[in-house]
Amino acid sequence: MREHHRSTRLFGSLLLVAAAGLSSVAAVPSGQEAATTPAPTPLGQVIPAPASAVPGGSAYEINSKTRIRVDDSRDAQRIGGYLADVLRPSTGYALKVTDDEGRDGIRLRLSAKDKSLGDEGYRLESKRGSVTITARKAAGLFYGVQTLRQQLPAAAEKKTKQAGPWLVAGGTIEDKPRYEYRGAMLDVSRHFFSVDKVKRYIDQMSLYKVNKLHLHLSDDQGWRIAIDSWPKLAEYGGSTQVGGGKGGYYTKAQYKEIIEYASSRQLEVIPEIDMPGHTNAALASYAELNCNGVAPPLYTGTEVGFSSLCVKKDVTYDFVDDVIRELAAMTPGKYIHIGGDEAHSTSHEDYVAFMNKVQPVVAKYGKTAIGWHQLTGATPAKGALAQYWGYDATSAAEREQVANAAKNGTKLVLSPADRAYMDMKYNKDTPLGLAWAGYVEVQRSYDWDPGTYLTGAPADSIQGVEAPLWSETIWESKHIEYMAFPRLPGIAELGWSPASTHDWDKYKVRLAGQGPRWDAMGMDYYKSPQVPWPSK
């Protein structure tokens, strides 16, 4: 995973129109200079690409009289309030959220009748008098709102009043995801990120319909979550980070704050406690977790594979049970990630024994285990997910091991390091990141199909994709943004959009259109030369 020393129908001509940056020209009396009004973003020119986008009819314009009309459900009201909060600063309009019936304005509707949309799908219908977003569940309604945001001019994202106009192209989008699991991981262990920094990243990833936030909460360099039964884990084990900084950790109240904020953006938080390796912060905090009973010093370097819990000690499993119990009680989501990668200091026999004991603990507390793909070298529990991070240099035997586990029922999440790892450098001149899996430019991160990527793995074993961001060289929000954007939207599209829509030449045009939006949001992204960014 972090081996530092080893080496369709919805676009067509619409995309060409957008790439050329054409504007509509208003009719004016003879002899007067023509006034131009920017054309609305062509329907469906968003990321991720929708399953179906059928343009037609007049554009809808948000104006000072626009209301956001919601039904009487709490979810619709909450999402309506969220949309209003996004658009009020830039438009300067009141955008009252109301449950009054009406056929005009922005209409958000939850309807259990339309089962074709699934749990996360939505329908967006735009015409002269209204935009209507319909979904079966809150997630679909929220994702429809993200599509609406991207159909508006980029200036809609600004925090000060802008000129407009605020046009949404006419037509109908019907959309739902290809995969249920569409994740992004943030390593808060190598460097600690405050609650506000995590929230900022949540807001950015949610724009692209990412629905899982994997938090890497423990590693050799830091333990980042308070555990009441083992308080020194956070107080001492969380006191430093890579390079020797002061580190930090989340209190239980702060962790709850992150979970609630993520939930409001339809993101499920998946906490990871990496074990039996990557455990120096825990070993330094409690001597009894070491086979020799001696606590090592805290570690602030970037080597991997040197630490291990003492697999044969009973206290190790008391520790694991306490940590999983408290973490499960704090985490409303389905999953707990138990790591399992790079356990080079644990014998294969001990590794198998450890994983066979730990997976039932996760189930005991009502959660489903996820492990890095080395879990397939043990005995994955029924229902467990294996997260594949292999890359071109991964041996055929290791890939076959994962594929065979998938054939036997283990479900997979794909995070190939030379495609999906957001901490890989773009090129030799990238000031941040690592390069052990090679350089990963934007096209390479996008140009692969999760359904066929891992030879031998059944297509129905693939649960989705995840874009991890390891933080050895990263400690600020601007670093996150520079390494994740523009690559994260592409991984999100691979997880959401039908395979038939995947086309780099079309995608890069849509991606270029996100640049002004990120500028408006104050993001520091990498301006890849592979993308035809609009000139200012």
Side-chain angles (χ1 to χ4, degrees):
M1 181 176 57
R2 287 91 70 192
E3 299 167 338
H4 303 108
H5 303 294
R6 285 188 294 193
S7 331
T8 89
R9 60 178 172 175
L10 45 153
F11 304 113
S13 61
L14 289 173
L15 291 177
L16 298 176
V17 171
L22 299 180
S23 297
S24 61
V25 181
V28 294
S30 177
Q32 295 185 17
E33 184 177 345
T36 61
T37 299
T41 299
L43 195 74
Q45 187 156 315
V46 300
I47 298 175
S52 170
V54 181
S58 300
Y60 171 70
E61 182 175 2
I62 299 173
N63 58 40
S64 61
K65 297 180 180 180
T66 296
R67 293 188 174 196
I68 299 175
R69 300 188 181 275
V70 299
D71 57 32
D72 58 4
S73 70
R74 181 176 298 179
D75 285 331
Q77 292 170 359
R78 177 178 53 80
I79 294 168
Y82 162 85
L83 177 60
D85 287 343
V86 170
L87 297 182
R88 281 170 180 155
S90 57
T91 64
Y93 302 146
L95 297 176
K96 180 180 179 181
V97 180
T98 177
D99 59 4
D100 291 346
E101 290 288 339
R103 296 184 178 182
D104 63 322
I106 301 172
R107 306 165 72 234
L108 306 182
R109 297 288 180 263
L110 284 172
S111 172
K113 296 178 181 179
D114 196 342
K115 296 183 179 181
S116 66
L117 296 175
D119 290 348
E120 296 184 289
Y122 65 93
R123 180 183 299 106
L124 185 152
E125 300 167 278
S126 175
K127 55 186 180 181
R128 184 181 298 277
S130 65
V131 170
T132 302
I133 302 173
T134 304
R136 289 187 67 234
K137 295 191 176 182
L141 202 61
F142 182 81
Y143 298 141
V145 163
Q146 303 316 307
T147 293
L148 175 62
R149 285 175 66 183
Q150 290 190 43
Q151 291 288 170
L152 290 167
E157 305 294 341
K158 291 194 174 184
K159 299 302 182 183
T160 56
K161 188 175 179 180
Q162 304 297 307
W166 310 108
L167 298 174
V168 181
T172 300
I173 291 174
E174 293 203 13
D175 200 14
K176 63 181 179 180
R178 180 183 184 186
Y179 293 115
E180 182 276 333
Y181 191 113
R182 307 177 305 280
M185 186 277 281
L186 181 62
D187 170 21
V188 298
S189 293
R190 271 44 178 278
H191 281 101
F192 180 67
F193 292 88
S194 68
V195 171
D196 285 344
K197 289 178 181 178
V198 175
K199 286 181 175 180
R200 180 175 173 88
Y201 194 33
I202 286 170
D203 280 335
Q204 293 162 355
M205 66 177 73
S206 67
L207 181 58
Y208 301 100
K209 304 181 176 71
V210 173
N211 70 348
K212 311 290 184 192
L213 171 60
H214 172 183
L215 287 177
H216 185 75
L217 291 170
S218 71
D219 215 297
D220 293 314
Q221 299 87 351
W223 184 286
R224 306 303 184 198
I225 184 67
I227 301 295
D228 293 339
S229 52
W230 297 74
K232 288 172 61 180
L233 290 171
E235 293 168 1
Y236 183 68
S239 64
T240 190
Q241 58 187 0
V242 166
K246 69 177 183 177
Y249 66 91
Y250 304 117
T251 65
K252 289 190 171 183
Q254 289 173 324
Y255 181 68
K256 181 180 179 181
E257 185 179 351
I258 290 172
I259 284 175
E260 290 179 346
Y261 194 82
S263 178
S264 74
R265 271 65 173 160
Q266 298 301 318
L267 282 151
E268 174 186 355
V269 172
I270 300 174
E272 179 187 354
I273 302 298
D274 206 346
M275 47 190 172
H278 289 280
T279 48
N280 194 81
L283 299 173
S285 301
Y286 288 96
E288 60 265 40
L289 297 178
N290 297 271
C291 287
N292 63 2
V294 178
L298 292 169
Y299 182 69
T300 62
T302 59
E303 298 294 329
V304 301
F306 62 88
S307 61
S308 179
L309 293 170
C310 191
V311 173
K312 291 180 171 62
K313 276 189 170 184
D314 290 341
V315 68
T316 294
Y317 302 99
D318 295 336
F319 162 80
V320 170
D321 192 283
D322 286 339
V323 170
I324 297 298
R325 171 178 51 80
E326 291 195 36
L327 198 56
M330 289 188 277
T331 305
K334 178 179 179 180
Y335 299 105
I336 288 181
H337 204 302
I338 56 174
D341 64 303
E342 293 173 334
H344 305 322
S345 296
T346 312
S347 71
H348 177 68
E349 180 183 13
D350 281 353
Y351 181 88
V352 172
F354 181 83
M355 286 301 181
N356 286 347
K357 288 184 178 181
V358 169
Q359 291 178 93
V361 176
V362 177
K364 173 183 173 182
Y365 293 111
K367 304 299 181 183
T368 297
I370 306 180
W372 297 105
H373 74 255
Q374 283 76 13
L375 178 63
T376 61
T379 308
K382 184 178 181 180
L385 296 184
Q387 185 169 356
Y388 180 77
W389 59 271
Y391 60 115
D392 284 358
T394 300
S395 70
E398 190 170 356
R399 289 195 295 269
E400 185 177 9
Q401 173 185 291
V402 178
N404 287 339
K407 291 175 183 176
N408 290 327
T410 299
K411 302 298 185 182
L412 305 178
V413 174
L414 300 183
S415 301
D418 56 351
R419 303 280 186 170
Y421 269 33
M422 301 291 96
D423 56 304
M424 290 298 105
K425 291 177 177 287
Y426 295 99
N427 55 50
K428 65 180 179 60
D429 299 319
T430 306
L432 301 169
L434 305 170
W436 56 262
Y439 300 129
V440 183
E441 250 288 4
V442 182
Q443 182 174 359
R444 181 168 181 81
S445 69
Y446 176 80
D447 226 358
W448 59 286
D449 181 359
T452 59
Y453 176 80
L454 190 60
T455 302
D460 62 1
S461 71
I462 309 303
Q463 296 299 285
V465 295
E466 182 177 291
L469 180 56
W470 302 99
S471 66
E472 286 92 339
T473 68
I474 293 164
W475 61 90
E476 297 285 0
S477 288
K478 64 182 180 180
H479 299 158
I480 294 175
E481 292 160 9
Y482 187 83
M483 299 306 285
F485 295 89
R487 291 182 291 199
L488 178 60
I491 303 298
E493 175 153 310
L494 295 180
W496 178 279
S497 304
S500 60
T501 68
H502 296 172
D503 182 303
W504 166 251
D505 288 332
K506 293 178 180 177
Y507 171 73
K508 69 181 180 182
V509 175
R510 286 183 287 118
L511 183 60
Q514 299 297 306
R517 190 168 304 277
W518 299 337
D519 290 332
M521 295 170 71
M523 291 170 54
D524 183 17
Y525 59 97
Y526 168 63
K527 295 177 178 62
S528 169
Q530 296 182 338
V531 179
W533 307 106
S535 57
K536 293 184 179 180

